[in-house]
Amino acid sequence: MMKELHSRGETADDIAECLKKTSVHPRIAAAIKAAHAFGCDLRILSDANQFFIEKILEYHDLLGCFSKIYTNPTFVDEEGRLRIFPYHGSTLSPHGCSLCPSNLCKGQVLNNIQASAPESERQNFIYLGDGSGDYCPTLKLGDKDYVMPRKNYPLWNCIFSDRAFVKAEVREWSNGEELEGILLHLINRISSERSIL
């Protein structure tokens, strides 16, 4: 698609300008900023691409809230064409997951994130998602974790087609206000439980 846009004279700068029109619900933006201010380690795990995600977050002044973005890498070549490559490209071995597309297994990435934390510093995960590609990492969450699927979207449908496979506590949401309220409630709950210990 990027090759086709480039052949029509569209540059990466044109695409970046168009991405400014991508809206972020104001309550979701507020929830991201509040979670970051509270000290949460926010990360993005997306099947989109680095250029799109970074440009949208920069425009909405949210990029600095995230410590890491796991997605398909990009670069702009000498002709000004945006090039997108698979996350699991030539430098990473194929993941072999039947639930995920060949370019990115979110479950494998989540496993790596979980394994990178020392056992003594076990973190609680709150995973937000809506696509079917978010089901694999949902299955990697433990019983002290949370998953927040968007109601009536593919992840929600996968979870509720057979709830027995999901160990994490499920907290569904439908709009920005609900997402903000549930997310901040869970952060406060986790914080309170840790202070009791």
Side-chain angles (χ1 to χ4, degrees):
M1 181 171 38
M2 295 302 114
K3 185 176 180 179
E4 176 66 24
L5 287 172
H6 186 71
S7 71
R8 294 179 183 187
E10 302 291 335
T11 66
D13 289 338
D14 297 326
I15 295 167
E17 192 61 33
C18 183
L19 290 170
K20 289 181 179 179
K21 297 175 186 167
T22 305
S23 65
V24 173
H25 191 286
R27 300 311 331 147
I28 293 175
I32 291 168
K33 289 177 180 179
H36 176 70
F38 199 74
C40 296
D41 181 11
L42 304 179
R43 300 180 187 203
I44 292 177
L45 178 50
S46 173
D47 194 23
N49 68 74
Q50 176 188 358
F51 185 87
F52 284 22
I53 293 169
E54 288 181 356
K55 292 301 178 189
I56 292 167
L57 293 176
E58 281 174 5
Y59 180 71
H60 293 285
D61 197 29
L62 296 170
L63 184 59
C65 294
F66 296 92
S67 65
K68 183 97 171 124
I69 299 172
Y70 305 88
T71 190
N72 298 301
T74 58
F75 82 91
V76 178
D77 67 19
E78 62 280 349
E79 297 174 6
R81 182 174 83 185
L82 178 62
R83 308 282 308 265
I84 304 171
F85 298 91
Y87 181 84
H88 293 293
S90 59
T91 59
L92 296 172
S93 60
H95 58 75
C97 175
S98 62
L99 296 174
C100 295
S102 61
N103 64 299
L104 175 61
C105 176
K106 293 180 179 182
Q108 183 180 23
V109 175
L110 183 61
N111 275 343
N112 293 342
I113 294 168
Q114 291 168 326
S116 69
E119 193 62 35
S120 62
E121 298 176 23
R122 171 66 170 102
Q123 300 169 341
N124 296 92
F125 287 85
I126 303 173
Y127 190 96
L128 284 81
D130 59 15
S132 59
D134 294 307
Y135 187 58
C136 179
T138 294
L139 298 176
K140 310 292 184 193
L141 297 170
D143 59 1
K144 298 205 183 313
D145 298 321
Y146 303 89
V147 60
M148 292 179 57
R150 190 170 185 181
K151 191 173 182 181
N152 296 320
Y153 277 71
L155 174 60
W156 185 87
N157 293 331
C158 290
I159 290 171
F160 287 100
S161 68
D162 192 343
R163 180 68 180 83
F165 291 114
V166 178
K167 296 178 204 144
E169 184 176 321
V170 180
R171 302 294 300 270
E172 62 190 42
W173 58 279
S174 298
N175 56 50
E177 288 85 4
E178 287 181 5
L179 181 148
E180 179 185 37
I182 293 167
L183 179 62
L184 297 181
H185 170 77
L186 291 177
I187 292 168
N188 285 325
R189 179 173 162 186
I190 292 167
S191 177
S192 295
E193 288 171 0
R194 286 189 178 166
S195 64
I196 291 171
L197 297 175

